[in-house]
């Protein structure tokens, strides 16, 4: 069975600082990995996904994530935080050939301060 | 193009009452999903429908039933609501492959007293 672990339920950064949100996965087969973002009182929307084509994946709003098999990680980064980045971020995994069932992490709430 | 729509947005039930949450998508997607979101627990899959005419249990199916009415619509029914079912419920849809993006509705906030 696959799973993801997000370290840090709350992360606070200053505007303009680096954003780093951590995600580690556990999977017995090559996984597909996703980052979703949830703004207050809204549904989730896709930020980016890893599909084995490239280990560094670029997404929307300046976010990117790097797949590191040796560390079983897929951390999300953004060089410079904006106030508008304040939201909850979820890492998720699906299995090759497993249809489209996603297993989500518990989420990380990002706060951006002036 | 409305994407994924859910009704109602808010609902308060008493213990033992029943209700159906409605979900529809206009993207011609094969697969549809119901999740619940609880603080500190992320999203957990209740039921999903890989294609029209099929439904399968997810991680937390107890106390729920679903109907894939047609390709567009996927409803979630609580037969006898319990306080433990107080949650925010999200419907999602996707093309259904392992790579597919899931598109989420705006959610239904349910309180069971």
């Amino acid at each position: 069975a696959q799973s993801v672990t997000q370290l840090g339920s709350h992360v606070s950064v200053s505007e303009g600082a680096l954003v780093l949100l951590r995600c580690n996965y556990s999977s017995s087969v090559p996984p597909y990995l996703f980052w979703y973002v949830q703004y207050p009182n809204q549904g989730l929307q896709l930020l980016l996904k890893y599909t084995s084509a490239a280990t560094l994946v670029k997404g929307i709003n300046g976010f990117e994530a790097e797949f590191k098999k040796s560390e079983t990680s897929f951390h999300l980064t953004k060089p410079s935080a904006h106030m508008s980045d304040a939201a909850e971020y979820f890492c998720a995994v699906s299995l090759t050939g497993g249809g489209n069932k996603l297993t989500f992490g518990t989420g990380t709430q990002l706060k951006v301060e002036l | 193009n409305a994407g994924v729509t859910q009704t109602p947005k808010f609902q308060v039930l008493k213990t033992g009452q029943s209700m159906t949450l409605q979900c529809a998508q206009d993207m011609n997607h094969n697969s549809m999903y119901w999740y619940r979101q609880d603080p500190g627990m992320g999203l957990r899959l209740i039921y999903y429908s890989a294609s029209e005419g099929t439904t399968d249990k997810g991680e937390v199916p107890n106390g729920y039933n679903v109907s894939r009415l047609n390709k567009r619509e996927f409803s979630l029914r609580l037969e006898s609501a319990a306080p433990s079912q107080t949650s925010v419920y999200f419907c999602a849809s996707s093309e259904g492959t392992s790579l597919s993006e899931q598109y989420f509705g705006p959610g239904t906030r349910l309180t069971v007293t």
Side-chain angles (χ1 to χ4, degrees):
Chain A
Q2 73 275 22
S3 66
V4 289
T5 301
Q6 292 184 242
L7 294 175
S9 58
H10 292 81
V11 170
S12 183
V13 300
S14 299
E15 192 173 36
L18 172 71
V19 175
L20 170 61
L21 304 182
R22 299 178 186 273
C23 173
N24 289 87
Y25 70 90
S26 171
S27 175
S28 57
V29 298
Y32 296 125
L33 293 158
F34 304 77
W35 276 100
Y36 282 83
V37 61
Q38 184 181 32
Y39 297 103
N41 300 313
Q42 294 186 27
L44 279 70
Q45 60 185 95
L46 183 69
L47 269 180
L48 50 82
K49 63 181 178 182
Y50 167 72
T51 62
S52 75
T55 57
L56 184 62
V57 182
K58 294 188 185 300
I60 62 171
N61 301 337
F63 284 92
E64 62 182 37
E66 187 172 7
F67 175 74
K68 292 187 177 180
K69 185 177 179 180
S70 60
E71 298 177 9
T72 61
S73 69
F74 189 57
H75 301 331
L76 182 71
T77 60
K78 182 174 180 178
S80 176
H82 294 164
M83 296 295 290
S84 60
D85 295 327
E88 190 156 22
Y89 292 80
F90 293 93
C91 184
V93 62
S94 74
L95 292 185
T96 310
N100 194 212
K101 286 171 57 179
L102 290 178
T103 300
F104 285 88
T106 53
T108 298
Q109 187 73 44
L110 176 65
K111 183 178 180 181
V112 182
E113 299 175 316
L114 286 172
Chain B
N1 193 344
V4 179
T5 57
Q6 292 182 236
T7 56
K9 288 192 183 334
F10 301 94
Q11 185 71 48
V12 179
L13 292 178
K14 294 188 189 309
T15 297
Q17 288 184 317
S18 62
M19 78 161 296
T20 299
L21 282 65
Q22 306 286 356
C23 174
Q25 52 92 9
D26 62 1
M27 296 173 281
N28 200 36
H29 283 162
N30 292 316
S31 300
M32 298 186 73
Y33 314 81
W34 277 105
Y35 294 92
R36 60 178 289 172
Q37 183 179 25
D38 302 292
M41 303 190 75
L43 277 77
R44 292 179 293 169
L45 184 64
I46 304 171
Y47 271 94
Y48 68 101
S49 172
S51 60
E52 187 179 356
T54 69
T55 61
D56 282 292
K57 295 178 180 179
E59 183 184 352
V60 288
N62 291 344
Y64 306 95
N65 285 299
V66 291
S67 294
R68 183 76 182 266
L69 304 170
N70 47 55
K71 193 171 187 179
R72 289 188 64 248
E73 298 172 288
F74 189 38
S75 63
L76 178 72
R77 183 159 178 83
L78 286 70
E79 290 290 352
S80 179
S84 61
Q85 294 178 305
T86 294
S87 188
V88 182
Y89 292 85
F90 288 99
C91 177
S93 72
S94 78
E95 292 179 354
T97 71
S98 301
L99 301 173
S100 303
E101 174 181 357
Q102 290 191 13
Y103 293 81
F104 286 79
T108 295
R109 188 172 295 273
L110 175 67
T111 302
V112 183
T113 61

